[in-house]
Amino acid sequence: MHVIVTGGAGFLGARLIQQLLSGKVGGQAVTRVTSIDLAPCPVTDDRVESLTGDIADPDFIESGLIQQALADDTGAVCHLAAVVSSQAEADFELGMRVNLDATRTLLEACRHHSARPRFLFASSLAVFGPGLSQPVPEAVGPQPRSSYGAQKAMGELLVNDYSRRGFVDGRVCRLPTIVVRPGKPNQAASSFASSIIREPLAGVEAVCPVDAGLPLWLSSPRAVVANLVHALSLDGETLGDWRTLNLPGLTVTVEEMLDALERQAGTSARDLVRFEPDAAIDAIVASWPGGLAVERPLSLGFQADSDFDAIIHAYLDDERGDELDN
Ligand SMILES: NC(=O)c1ccc[n+]([C@@H]2O[C@H](COP(=O)([O-])OP(=O)(O)OC[C@H]3O[C@@H](n4cnc5c(N)ncnc54)[C@H](O)[C@@H]3O)[C@@H](O)[C@H]2O)c1
């Protein structure tokens, strides 16, 4: 099976490609993957083709790169390319072009392709707003308080309607905030959630822009990638008519994250985190729920991390290969 991954050069896209190539989707081996991204795909494997371009640029679509990618054996399109939350809030036009317009264009390309591929859309807990009873039930409608959340919510509706009409076989995964992201901070409003762990572990100061008591809905990269592959593997009938799933996560306050950091790396690491409130970041992140109801996804075989300490362990294993005492 051939799989297309938009955002294949990104944090999750590259990890998803690696995972796809080492396993099966719905019982079928993945024989090749096409990454479509502004940047080249970092996965070095002969089975990966890397197409670089802007999915929101009409020339990119019209020049046929999307058509070039779609083939008779294309079994799935994983749409992960996006402008992340703070950037989409700062640049409304860019967010609408990439997060909404390009999603519809991709769906149209799939609709008119004979293979009728599975279409996986990476949505976000940012489709929800404040004041909802928690954990937020799956049936509660989106009430975003950011342009990013609104764009993701519109993408969710499109994927569901294209699926209802039989144009694609869609599945929408609402991702928790993924920690610990390696490398540098990005333009997601939740970027601090990784920084306050990653930087102190490397002996570097970090700034926390939100209150210590704020609960966050978190998942590790390992768990979310496993869940994305699982979402692709389930057949449409198992998912039912409504194709939107809350992916499992853990409810952890900032304070509890720092407690875990201290257990792993001592008080000196915790002392490297400084609280400096940032109203713009708080307005976005504090509007997101700290927990989503996940009974149905768990019953369908999706996984959650065991606890936040395990997320830190996994980060250290993956990125630094450190030997841990416990
Ligand atoms: N990481 C998280 O915590 C998180 C949480 C919720 C939802 N998500 C969603 O998951 C998906 C992947 O997130 P990520 O953390 O890997 O993000 P990322 O920023 O690391 O990767 C996104 C990729 O999209 C590419 N991209 C952006 N605009 C593009 C364009 N116009 N044309 C082509 N490529 C473009 C970027 O170059 C980048 O490689 C996104 O849709 C994001 O909204 C992520």
Side-chain angles (χ1 to χ4, degrees), residues 6-13 36-39 53-56 79-84 98 122-125 148 152 175-179 181 186 190:
T6 74
F11 166 46
L12 298 178
I36 302 179
D37 198 299
L38 293 169
D54 178 355
I55 56 164
H79 181 32
L80 273 66
V83 170
V84 294
V98 177
S123 186
S124 165
L125 83 165
Y148 171 77
K152 289 290 188 187
L175 274 55
T177 294
I178 310 304
V179 290
R181 183 187 177 102
N186 71 344
S190 57

Side-chain angles (χ1 to χ4, degrees), residues 113-165:
H113 187 73
S114 55
R116 191 178 169 260
R118 293 183 178 186
F119 190 97
L120 173 77
F121 178 58
S123 186
S124 165
L125 83 165
V127 299
F128 293 117
L132 299 170
S133 70
Q134 298 197 25
V136 180
E138 212 169 59
V140 166
Q143 304 177 23
R145 291 294 198 281
S146 64
S147 293
Y148 171 77
Q151 290 148 9
K152 289 290 188 187
M154 291 187 276
E156 289 189 356
L157 289 175
L158 284 176
V159 175
N160 272 286
D161 201 43
Y162 274 64
S163 299
R164 183 185 66 81
R165 299 191 72 113

